[in-house]
Amino acid sequence: MEQLGGVQYPDDLVTFFSDMSQLMHSHSQALDEDALKGGADISSAMGFYIRHCCVSFHMLAFEAACGLFDDLQAYKEVCMYEQQGFQPPPGLYKTALRNQAALDALLNQQVARQETQSGSESAAELIAPADELTDLAAHVTKVDLLRHSHAVCQSDFLAAVDSLYKYFDYSTGQTARPPGGAAGAEPSKGHLQDALLTLGSAHAHFGHVQEALLALNEAVRIAQQHNDNVALAHALSALCHILATASPTAVTQLTEPGAGLTDPTAHLSQLLKILKRCEKRAQDLHLPHLFVFARLALAQFALEHQTGPSNQQLAKGSQAAASQGRRSAVLGVSQAVQDTARLHQAAKLAAAVALPPPPAASAPGMVGNVGRASVADLFTATPPVFGPTSAGSASSADAVEKLAGSSHLLQAGAWKLAGNRSLSQASSLTHLACFADSATADDRALAYAQLAQVAMSKKGYKAAAEVLALADKQLPYSNSPALQAARLGLAHSRALHRGDVQHAALFASQLVGLADPTGSVSRTFRTDAQQAHVRTLLVAGRYEEAAEAARELFESCTEAGLQVQAVELLLLLGQIHEAAGAPLAALPYVLSCLLHSTVLHMDLLAADATCSLSRIWLAMGPSHGPQAVQQLRFVLPTVLGNADTDLQARVQLVLAQALLADATPAHLKADPEEVLQPLQAAAAGFAALEDFHKAAEAQHLIALVCHAINNTSRRNAAAGEFHKLTWHARQGQAC
């Protein structure tokens, strides 16, 4: 083989076959033992094959010998590309068809490429290898699996199901199933449950909850009949994904016929139970990718569905104990990210190096203490499920790598809820910097969407537009809902700040239309879109419709266990009543939001509620000004350190208004900067957000304060800015 690999010219082929003919011998020849070991008997099957090859080569014409040399060089190039992990040029597929292992490697690489490059390359470029392989070898059934993956990434349901049926219909009995099922199980049965699991995953991806559950039910039934624990574990993970993303009303049956989860409380409790069971089964069966999935899903569940204190707890003074839920949830996400990173490293080592089996007395560690030793145990089961020598080890390592990248996106969301946008930005950047090559196109789009939101909150809409432009450059063919929602959300927020109600309503309706109408894919996405609609009604002055829509959304969020969104809606209800001129009606909502956000360690939302509460106090009379100043100064460090530009500007404006509530000309002359500094900061913040109405209000107050202290030049400058901003405000409404 070394001599064949060293062939550089056609003449080297002649030398190679001449040397091959010297390897043959017969028993009648007097040869020593070393010669017998290095050759083949002329009458043996190997000797006959070598003689046949040599005779066939010497009978070739010159042009045919040159063609053989070209094919050999192309085959060597395919092997080189595969060893280095690169994509072979399209012209090399013909040579790869001669080697089944090389063909399987190419097809697996193309299937993975559909997920990672679906946003970077056009659909025609992604499907071109499948078309070429179909033309060269129509009998290769795995090309249909490649077409199925392509159709799923392109959101083509009919093509995805058609290709999936073709693949499993034509490949029955042709492919061997990876190890992991029961000993002696029929390959066709394992093939059937693989088909059902794949079909269920496809239906879940497209939001067809009932069809996905039917496929999973059938897969579970067949897997139980044949004692296929690996298939059962994958079915559990698929069921967890469906329950986590779909609304309770969309899920009417589970693995047991007739079971239902229309009760939201039962839905959440069942999801938590199945997630824990999935984690335990993955650990027992040594399935690292499923263990990581369950670990991250449990962390996300704790982050989204932690409940606040009950009235009895607050009455007993147990607020500190109840507040541990949100803090422990954020820390739980960080711990899950660390465990995933260690599993990622162990997975790469297990896929590359054979690890010795663990001692018989050792056992995998507990979930809360996943250390280096217990992580290694996941890859050294006896017998191995995804052993180092099987193809499953590499595929499991690839899945763990993708989940390791996704864990940083979850970490970014956790930091955002905790009020630390800088760390949220760092987590998103970590995903793009370290996992861009292995991450799916949807994960990369989500990372860019998170960065755009952080850029808008810190530097305004121009910085966010630059991030989205970079995302369009990196993912020119992406149809990710996350990127579309980020773009529409920024446009909607900008229209609201400008006071352009017509365009704000248009963008809000597009957001609602972009969300899944049945709640089968992402409940939080639809909730955010409906919140945008409520805020549009608020800015438009349609207070009764806004209050009714907000109450309905609050009830649905409470039933679904979306506590973060429910607490945000409490504040939104208070703001609606405040804008309608009923501060006393707004007070209970704002106080409830302040209480729950404080207990749940949602510091920025608590600061926002404090700002609304201060406005309510000022509306009730100037005597409440000192109390408002005290509360605002208490949250001011948090706001200036972590809040977005909008909240900073609003807090600074309300602080200045509270200081002016009971101020006298003598107090203003003694220390005018105490009021002017927050007003200038508020004016600059609102101007950066293109909220010209609020910026003009701040400049108006600056002019009044400067007039009171006889600062004529500064007063005139503020008055000039006021007129410019009012002109921009009128232009913004006319756009």
Side-chain angles (χ1 to χ4, degrees), residues 297-316:
L298 282 170
Q300 183 176 0
F301 181 90
L303 191 67
E304 292 180 350
H305 301 292
Q306 282 289 342
T307 57
S310 62
N311 295 331
Q312 293 78 6
Q313 288 176 321
L314 294 176
K316 294 179 181 179

Side-chain angles (χ1 to χ4, degrees), residues 272-290:
L272 181 60
K273 177 181 177 181
I274 296 178
L275 279 174
K276 291 181 178 179
R277 182 181 176 187
C278 180
E279 183 185 40
K280 182 65 168 59
R281 293 299 295 161
Q283 189 172 5
D284 293 341
L285 295 173
H286 301 267
L287 302 175
H289 57 294
L290 293 187

Side-chain angles (χ1 to χ4, degrees), residues 105-158:
L106 280 175
L107 287 170
N108 292 334
Q109 187 180 30
Q110 286 296 324
V111 170
R113 180 168 166 258
Q114 300 299 322
E115 293 184 354
T116 58
Q117 302 297 325
S118 59
S120 303
E121 301 180 17
S122 65
E125 293 174 340
L126 290 172
I127 201 61
D131 294 336
E132 183 177 355
L133 287 172
T134 301
D135 295 337
L136 294 174
H139 64 280
V140 180
T141 58
K142 201 170 183 179
V143 176
D144 291 320
L145 185 61
L146 174 58
R147 293 185 181 277
H148 165 75
S149 179
H150 174 78
V152 169
C153 294
Q154 299 299 323
S155 300
D156 189 347
F157 171 72
L158 295 179

Side-chain angles (χ1 to χ4, degrees), residues 648-679:
Q648 290 184 20
R650 286 189 285 114
V651 169
Q652 296 276 25
L653 180 60
V654 176
L655 176 60
Q657 291 172 342
L659 290 171
L660 291 172
D662 60 347
T664 62
H667 290 157
L668 291 177
K669 290 180 180 179
D671 189 8
E673 294 300 324
E674 183 182 13
V675 178
L676 290 176
Q677 285 183 356
L679 284 175

Side-chain angles (χ1 to χ4, degrees), residues 410-456:
L410 177 61
Q411 180 75 84
W415 286 126
K416 180 182 177 181
L417 289 178
N420 197 322
R421 297 182 182 272
S422 298
L423 290 179
S424 176
Q425 181 183 22
S427 297
S428 300
L429 288 173
T430 300
H431 178 272
L432 290 176
C434 301
F435 299 94
D437 295 335
S438 60
T440 63
D442 288 339
D443 280 353
R444 292 164 61 194
L446 178 57
Y448 280 116
Q450 292 175 341
L451 289 175
Q453 293 174 353
V454 174
M456 189 277 291

Side-chain angles (χ1 to χ4, degrees), residues 219-504:
V220 167
R221 185 183 66 82
I222 297 175
Q224 288 175 339
Q225 290 178 354
H226 296 84
N227 196 25
D228 192 344
N229 294 323
V230 175
L232 287 173
H234 283 84
L236 268 181
S237 65
L239 182 60
C240 291
H241 175 72
I242 293 174
L243 292 178
T245 55
S247 61
T249 56
V251 182
T252 60
Q253 57 182 332
L254 285 177
T255 54
E256 297 84 3
L261 285 183
T262 56
D263 181 20
T265 304
H267 178 90
L268 294 179
S269 61
Q270 186 73 8
L271 172 59
L272 181 60
K273 177 181 177 181
I274 296 178
L275 279 174
K276 291 181 178 179
R277 182 181 176 187
C278 180
E279 183 185 40
K280 182 65 168 59
R281 293 299 295 161
Q283 189 172 5
D284 293 341
L285 295 173
H286 301 267
L287 302 175
H289 57 294
L290 293 187
F291 180 84
V292 171
F293 164 77
R295 193 79 171 81
L296 295 176
L298 282 170
Q300 183 176 0
F301 181 90
L303 191 67
E304 292 180 350
H305 301 292
Q306 282 289 342
T307 57
S310 62
N311 295 331
Q312 293 78 6
Q313 288 176 321
L314 294 176
K316 294 179 181 179
S318 58
Q319 180 173 336
S323 67
Q324 290 300 113
R326 176 64 55 183
R327 180 181 298 173
S328 61
V330 175
L331 295 178
V333 172
S334 300
Q335 183 63 45
V337 172
Q338 294 176 11
D339 293 343
T340 303
R342 289 195 289 266
L343 279 165
H344 176 216
Q345 183 65 23
K348 292 194 298 183
L349 293 176
V353 181
L355 299 176
S362 65
M366 299 301 293
V367 172
N369 304 312
V370 178
R372 297 184 183 275
S374 60
V375 163
D377 291 341
L378 290 174
F379 294 88
T380 55
T382 306
V385 176
F386 290 117
T389 59
S390 67
S393 180
S395 62
S396 180
D398 293 340
V400 172
E401 185 173 9
K402 286 184 174 63
L403 289 169
S406 300
S407 68
H408 290 281
L409 300 179
L410 177 61
Q411 180 75 84
W415 286 126
K416 180 182 177 181
L417 289 178
N420 197 322
R421 297 182 182 272
S422 298
L423 290 179
S424 176
Q425 181 183 22
S427 297
S428 300
L429 288 173
T430 300
H431 178 272
L432 290 176
C434 301
F435 299 94
D437 295 335
S438 60
T440 63
D442 288 339
D443 280 353
R444 292 164 61 194
L446 178 57
Y448 280 116
Q450 292 175 341
L451 289 175
Q453 293 174 353
V454 174
M456 189 277 291
S457 65
K458 287 186 173 183
K459 298 182 179 180
Y461 295 107
K462 291 184 179 179
E466 292 177 357
V467 175
L468 292 177
L470 178 61
D472 292 337
K473 182 179 179 181
Q474 297 294 327
L475 303 169
Y477 301 99
S478 176
N479 57 355
S480 169
L483 266 182
Q484 298 179 38
R487 188 174 287 106
L488 287 174
L490 293 175
H492 173 263
S493 178
R494 188 175 191 177
L496 286 183
H497 280 129
R498 285 187 168 191
D500 188 359
V501 179
Q502 182 178 359
H503 284 88

